[in-house]
Amino acid sequence: MRSDLLKEGISRAPHRSLLKALGVTDSEMKRPFVAVVCSKSDFIPGHTHLNTIADAVEAGIRNAGGVPFRFDTIGVCDGLAMNHKGMKYSLSSRELIADSIEVMLTAHPMDAVVFIPNCDKIVPGMLMAACRLDLPSIFVSGGPMMPGKDLNGGRIGLSEMFEAVGATAAGKLTECQLHQMEETACPGCGSCSGMYTANSMNCLTETLGMALPGNGTIPAVTAARIRLAKTAGERVLDLLKENVRPSDILTEKAFDNALRADMAIGCSSNTVLHILAVSYAAGHPLQLKHIDDIGKTTPQICKLNPASSVFITDLNDVGGISSMLKELDKKNLVHRDALTVCGTVGDRIDAAPEADGDIIHFVDSPIRADGGIAVLFGNLAERGAVVKQGAVAPEMMQHTGPARVFNSEEEANDAILGGKIKAGDVVVIRYEGPKGGPGMREMLSPTSNIIGMGLGSSVALITDGRFSGATRGASIGHVSPEAAAGGVIGLVEDSDIIRIDIPGRVLEVQLDDATLAARAANWQPPVQELTGYNRRYAQHVTDASYGAVFDDML
């Protein structure tokens, strides 16, 4: 066992003495040592209850004859980091999380690992670490939050709170009503209730095979979530005995299954960044073109909040991810033989309930014939741009309009809330990419303000930054190359005409090559005064078409 590096032989007597200082007994020295990597935090509603989950995991490990060792990682709450400097540290935390876990579990050798994430960058950061370490591993998330309530008792998520800010600025809501909504929008612990990035990544971790069925959908506040955690702790000892490792599970077939699920349930566009990053860590690097090809041939059969009034907890009630995959399998779109932490994908979907036809639409009558995410190309995005097309109004699937250009999120927000953006405009927010931000901030506030101001069906937004899973509307992000790297988005000027054709997969500014070349000759990147981690991150991060991984991963 790998933990023998800590506890076997006379030369390890000093090591054993340190372990005994922790209370480890001689009998426990003979058992497998299992790391429990948790992202408990008092900052994040999705993580505040994770000690309870970790306790259940540890109980499961002990039930199965192992000895658990717990440590916590950092985690950024995107909702709290939104629309200020803190968002520059959100995406970049993914690499820190992966690095810190690699450090801890190399310095302190364990035999197996249970990962307990719940939000945004923490999930892919832990997946990347699992790939690097390649120890028998299993994931169990903290689960989704229950939906909140609006002023009329209807169900809402965090996205509606952000949109309410724009509605208040437009005079559609009073500040008193806004306060009433904030009291009830987020009713308790768990990852925010819509199909935002956190829930998207937890569902995709389940589809990849690295977590048990229900990982992405069982609500945080239920006993079923505790039982799932305890079972995960027990199951990781079986994975150790069977010598099943992430490299056995995270295959090309697993990534294709995850992409099918991504498209079928309309996940956050951030999943493209994270699936790319994990694929590099797993040694099966994906390309944006492959992701789009999967999207073109995968029907969207679920439409969840913020794109509809259906929530992820509703999906759980009708069979969750396994039932959704079972429906896709009717068109032979699933690799049934892909291995998971408990049998094959085929084993899971055979045991799942049939689709209900309402929350999980039948594959012969899908919500749309292609997937929820599209990748666009053109002179404005030579290496690609990403849009959550499943959340775009039909009238905005094709749009041509004048550019309104801003060099930061703050400038754009001021213009939107100040009533300076008109129907037909294309808002361009640049220098917010991985290097240019740095950190590729989420543009949830601008997009929510556009919706709240009543412009969601007439105004598009493009950026080299990214979007929250809570974003809806004609919001096109991940534009690559980014402005700071000399991308064409940095050459766009006010009133230039931009053409968006989502079905045709086109994003272009209607300028000839000579005009673009002349502007490029005079272009200078803005001077950045960076310090600390942000400076190191900007020096090493690649663009969004590579998942914003560090250059040493390519």
Side-chain angles (χ1 to χ4, degrees), residues 307-319:
S308 80
S309 59
V310 178
F311 284 81
I312 191 166
T313 49
D314 300 323
L315 176 60
N316 184 71
D317 291 340
V318 296

Side-chain angles (χ1 to χ4, degrees), residues 39-300:
S39 55
K40 165 68 172 73
S41 168
D42 289 341
F43 286 99
I44 310 176
H47 295 219
T48 188
H49 65 303
L50 291 191
N51 275 346
T52 301
I53 301 296
D55 287 345
V57 167
E58 291 190 354
I61 291 169
R62 292 192 185 281
N63 286 348
V67 183
F69 291 82
R70 185 191 311 184
F71 70 94
D72 293 339
T73 68
I74 63 168
V76 172
C77 176
D78 280 17
L80 293 175
M82 197 69 65
N83 196 24
H84 61 83
K85 184 179 178 181
M87 182 50 73
K88 294 177 181 285
Y89 290 84
S90 176
L91 180 61
S92 67
S93 71
R94 185 185 70 188
E95 270 58 35
L96 275 180
I97 290 165
D99 289 349
S100 65
I101 296 169
E102 178 188 353
V103 166
M104 284 293 289
L105 295 185
T106 305
H108 313 106
M110 297 280 115
D111 301 306
V113 192
V114 181
F115 292 94
I116 310 175
N118 211 32
C119 291
D120 294 284
K121 268 49 68 191
I122 296 95
V123 182
M126 288 187 177
L127 281 168
M128 292 163 71
C131 292
R132 294 182 196 177
L133 295 160
D134 204 28
L135 294 169
S137 301
I138 194 168
F139 280 65
V140 57
S141 76
M145 184 186 294
M146 300 300 293
K149 292 183 179 180
D150 64 15
L151 298 173
N152 300 312
R155 299 189 304 169
I156 61 171
L158 183 64
S159 57
E160 284 83 1
M161 272 308 309
F162 275 93
E163 291 170 10
V165 174
T168 303
K172 299 176 182 178
L173 290 176
T174 66
E175 289 191 27
C176 179
Q177 289 173 317
L178 183 68
H179 180 263
Q180 287 178 284
M181 283 184 66
E182 74 184 55
E183 290 283 316
T184 57
C186 298
C189 67
S191 48
C192 295
S193 56
M195 182 48 76
Y196 312 147
T197 308
N199 289 329
S200 295
M201 287 307 304
N202 286 329
C203 288
L204 295 189
T205 301
E206 179 180 336
T207 312
L208 282 167
M210 290 298 294
L212 296 168
N215 177 72
T217 59
I218 295 173
V221 294
T222 60
R225 176 61 56 176
I226 301 300
R227 295 195 299 272
L228 185 75
K230 193 175 293 184
T231 303
E234 294 171 346
R235 180 60 192 156
V236 79
L237 273 298
D238 294 329
L239 295 173
L240 177 61
K241 292 173 187 174
E242 297 162 11
N243 195 29
V244 175
R245 299 170 183 267
S247 57
D248 300 311
I249 296 173
L250 294 173
T251 62
E252 292 178 358
K253 290 181 178 181
F255 284 106
D256 277 358
N257 282 344
L259 290 172
R260 294 287 186 195
D262 197 337
M263 299 299 174
I265 61 178
C267 287
S268 162
S269 58
N270 279 322
T271 57
V272 175
L273 282 174
H274 300 321
I275 289 291
L276 284 168
V278 177
S279 77
Y280 277 101
H284 302 290
L286 294 168
Q287 304 296 322
L288 280 177
K289 180 64 167 60
H290 180 70
I291 293 175
D292 193 49
D293 288 343
I294 292 283
K296 288 177 180 176
T297 58
T298 306
Q300 184 176 356

Side-chain angles (χ1 to χ4, degrees), residues 486 491 514-524:
L491 308 179
T515 301
L516 289 173
R519 290 185 185 180
N522 296 316
W523 174 81
Q524 292 290 332

